[in-house]
Amino acid sequence: QVQLVESGGGLVQAGGSLRLSCAASGSIFRINAMGWYRQAPGKQRELVAAIPRGGSTNYADSVKGRFTISRDNAKNSVYLQMNSLKPEDTAVYYCNADITTAQAIRYSKNYWGQGTQVTVSA
């Protein structure tokens, strides 16, 4: 019943910006850590940025200083502001969240969004 839906991907020229959004819906009791991952063609999925429930953030070295992750607990949402985009940022970006549902509050599950394509042209 829990679903993560990403939006905001698209085609942008190098140096441009995009803002990705991910909204969780369903019978949510609590969202713990949230993060953004990406997978480029021929490569493994990698962590881009993560934000625990307490608000601290961490980033992959390749995006540090250019990307900013944030969350709005009241809206069950996480965002990724991407500035100074480079062609090597081209990938499918996935939202990830560890969520406790209202039906089973004694444990949590890991959920993934469907992914959104980000393409950066030179």
Side-chain angles (χ1 to χ4, degrees), residues 80-98:
L80 186 67
Q81 179 66 46
M82 304 185 294
N83 298 325
S84 301
L85 283 163
K86 304 175 181 179
E88 49 262 45
D89 295 319
T90 296
V92 177
Y93 284 70
Y94 297 90
C95 177
N96 176 265
D98 189 67

Side-chain angles (χ1 to χ4, degrees), residues 10 14 23 33 38 45 61-63 65 69 73 76 79 81 86 103 107 111:
R38 68 186 181 186
R45 187 173 300 185
D61 289 339
S62 59
V63 308
I69 188 172
N73 292 332
N76 291 330
Y79 310 93
Q81 179 66 46
K86 304 175 181 179
Q103 290 77 25
Y107 65 95
Y111 294 86

Side-chain angles (χ1 to χ4, degrees), residues 15-34:
S17 298
L18 286 173
R19 187 172 188 259
L20 305 183
S21 299
C22 173
S25 62
S27 299
I28 299 171
F29 177 76
R30 167 176 164 149
I31 301 179
N32 304 306
M34 306 186 79

Side-chain angles (χ1 to χ4, degrees), residues 1 12 22 29 36 40 49 70 81 93 99 108-109 113 116 119 122:
Q1 198 166 10
V12 66
C22 173
F29 177 76
W36 288 94
S70 61
Q81 179 66 46
Y93 284 70
I99 298 175
S108 63
K109 295 181 181 179
T116 184
T119 302

